[in-house]
Amino acid sequence: MTTQALRINGERLWAALMELAQIGATPKGGVCRLALTELDRQGRDLVLGWAREAGMTVTVDQIGNAFMRRPGRNNDLPPVMTGSHIDTQPTGGKFDGNYGVLAGLEVVRTLNDRGIETEAPIEVAFWTNEEGSRFVPVMMGSGVFAKAFTLEHAYAAKDTEGLTVKAELEKIGYIGSEVPGTHPIGSYFETHIEQGPVLEDHDITIGVVTGVLGIKWYDCTVTGMEAHAGPTPMALRKDALQVAAQLMQEVVAVAHRHPPDGKGHGRGTVGMVQVHPNSRNVIPGRVKFSIDLRNSSDDLVEAMDADIRASAERLATASGLAIQIDLVSHYPAQPFHADCIKAVAKAATDLGYSQMPVVSGAGHDAVYMARLAPTGMIFIPCKDGISHNEIEDAKPAHLEAGCNVLLHAMLAQAKVVPA
Ligand SMILES: [Zn+2]
């Protein structure tokens, strides 16, 4: 059998997903397996047990990231790595993260079935606390690994009951000895459900992820003057909400001016509004609202930023009201590596799956890996684009297809040793 004809075992992948989903299963068919809980420990133990059965060695680092290794012929080469996370949201699904880890395991099981040796080693990782639900920051394990923040910062993070990451890692027995970030990576792939509606909308099986959107978060405050809604004529008002509403329209309009056209992927959202004093017969004197701007490159995010600020200035001049825009967070755009994008697209083409380039609007561990090594991602559709919800669902055929793409993308990097 040629390597080209090699396929993963979709039923075995599905069975592994369903078995892992039993740990922390919710009555509505989802999963609640929060980071560093007893259930997380059980999930970790199950996955690492499977890895050992598949002949892999296991290393755990000081933040609890686990690396499962299948040696290659030349073990001086850095491994071709895949991975994701197995922690979930409180009302999480069976596939978010878990799919990326178990797809990696299925790749190894498939290579074992056929006795295929690779030149470079292959590794499957799961990263600690990707979800950020119990402990902030999100993508904690991969973030420490990529030195986005320190191990001490992560250790000190507390849940709502005051329990720290360090104490909880110790309790479940997952503080390893390896210093985070010292583990070599040759290249990195991550398979993930899309968590959005684009692939399903286009009836496409494989999303070739070209990168992750850059994000800027702002707090915007419009200051007017409270006054009685009855006696104050329209011409003499300083209505902060009326001005804020116009600027909120601009946030959406600026995103529409950057449509998904192969270049831009503008997204603009106002998700939080506070009106002061929030009384039905008082003209609002102050409105504070959030602005979330996203686009596929930092230049495009900057262009949207300039656009919104110009609109704010124009509205402030026209109304005579003060408008203040404060940047509160900034995550740069993370384009993926051309070689990895090509490897994913080629694997999908060779396998005969429909594909399209997509961007990720959500963060993933792969964002941090992309700072360290050539990185790519594979998306598959999920039902109605829904995740972070117990009804999250994905089709077995899509899960199988994504895993086959992962197999061939990884083999192209790790190189098969001729039998
Ligand atoms: Zn995820």
Side-chain angles (χ1 to χ4, degrees):
M1 187 174 131
T2 63
T3 309
Q4 283 78 15
L6 196 63
R7 298 290 182 276
I8 62 95
N9 182 333
E11 282 171 25
R12 183 170 56 190
L13 170 62
W14 180 261
L17 280 162
M18 292 308 113
E19 191 174 340
L20 182 54
Q22 290 303 308
I23 302 174
T26 62
K28 285 184 187 163
V31 180
C32 175
R33 199 165 59 240
L34 300 185
L36 310 185
T37 56
E38 167 57 22
L39 289 172
D40 187 16
R41 182 189 69 73
Q42 290 175 27
R44 286 164 173 258
D45 288 355
L46 179 64
V47 172
L48 295 184
W50 283 335
R52 290 191 179 98
E53 278 169 27
M56 304 172 87
T57 53
V58 172
T59 309
V60 178
D61 72 12
Q62 291 168 330
I63 189 65
N65 297 322
F67 304 94
M68 303 164 256
R69 180 178 174 94
R70 182 181 195 265
R73 183 168 73 170
N74 181 354
N75 290 299
D76 294 333
L77 291 173
V80 175
M81 189 184 283
T82 187
S84 196
H85 58 96
I86 60 168
D87 65 316
T88 77
Q89 292 286 330
T91 54
K94 301 184 188 82
F95 306 101
D96 180 356
N98 297 286
Y99 171 49
V101 176
L102 296 182
L105 182 68
E106 177 53 38
V107 164
V108 168
R109 286 171 163 175
T110 300
L111 297 178
N112 288 351
D113 289 346
R114 309 285 177 189
I116 291 171
E117 188 182 21
T118 53
E119 192 64 29
I122 283 183
E123 292 200 12
V124 183
F126 58 73
W127 306 98
T128 294
N129 183 36
E130 191 273 350
E131 294 289 3
S133 175
R134 184 176 176 207
F135 299 103
V136 178
V138 299
M139 301 186 285
M140 180 179 276
S142 52
V144 170
F145 190 92
K147 300 192 165 48
F149 39 87
T150 64
L151 179 64
E152 288 64 39
H153 178 69
Y155 273 171
K158 287 183 183 150
D159 70 2
T160 52
E161 284 164 28
L163 300 168
T164 66
V165 162
K166 187 169 190 200
E168 292 299 274
L169 263 174
E170 265 164 2
K171 196 193 285 172
I172 67 166
Y174 271 92
I175 289 196
S177 54
E178 190 171 85
V179 175
T182 56
H183 207 94
I185 304 176
S187 55
Y188 183 85
F189 293 93
E190 183 166 346
T191 45
H192 209 283
I193 55 168
E194 184 195 1
Q195 303 181 282
V198 177
L199 293 175
E200 191 176 69
D201 190 46
H202 288 78
D203 196 19
I204 294 282
T205 302
I206 299 294
V208 181
V209 189
T210 55
V212 179
L213 299 183
I215 306 171
K216 277 195 164 185
W217 280 351
Y218 312 82
D219 283 339
C220 179
T221 310
V222 180
T223 309
M225 176 74 81
E226 296 98 286
H228 197 300
T232 319
M234 299 312 283
L236 299 178
R237 296 175 175 215
K238 291 182 177 172
D239 187 331
L241 182 55
Q242 288 306 310
V243 175
Q246 291 177 63
L247 190 51
M248 290 180 208
Q249 291 295 319
E250 286 302 318
V251 170
V252 175
V254 70
H256 280 300
R257 287 195 286 274
H258 292 262
D261 58 358
K263 224 166 43 137
H265 286 269
R267 283 159 202 185
T269 306
V270 174
M272 210 165 70
V273 182
Q274 291 168 299
V275 179
H276 179 81
N278 209 28
S279 170
R280 77 172 64 240
N281 58 353
V282 180
I283 297 160
R286 191 177 68 245
V287 175
K288 197 173 163 183
F289 62 98
S290 62
I291 300 176
D292 174 320
L293 298 179
R294 302 182 190 222
N295 215 321
S296 48
S297 76
D298 293 334
D299 285 351
L300 289 169
V301 174
E302 284 315 312
M304 293 172 78
D305 173 291
D307 201 326
I308 282 298
R309 288 182 191 278
S311 296
E313 226 174 280
R314 187 172 42 74
L315 284 166
T317 306
S319 65
L321 271 59
I323 302 178
Q324 195 181 331
I325 298 181
D326 298 315
L327 181 69
V328 291
S329 298
H330 175 213
Y331 305 92
Q334 181 62 64
F336 287 144
H337 197 281
D339 291 351
C340 294
I341 296 170
K342 254 186 248 162
V344 170
K346 182 177 186 307
T349 303
D350 292 349
L351 289 157
Y353 299 132
S354 58
Q355 60 171 291
M356 66 184 285
V358 292
V359 290
S360 176
H364 294 288
D365 296 309
V367 176
Y368 284 137
M369 290 312 109
R371 297 183 183 184
L372 306 174
T375 291
M377 282 191 84
I378 302 155
F379 276 177
I380 58 150
C382 55
K383 191 169 185 296
D384 301 325
I386 288 171
S387 73
H388 289 191
N389 189 317
E390 290 158 278
I391 64 167
E392 174 189 290
D393 202 5
K395 290 197 176 117
H398 289 152
L399 294 159
E400 184 175 336
C403 189
N404 273 322
V405 172
L406 176 69
L407 168 73
H408 286 279
M410 289 184 83
L411 285 181
Q413 305 298 308
K415 303 277 185 284
V416 173
V417 177

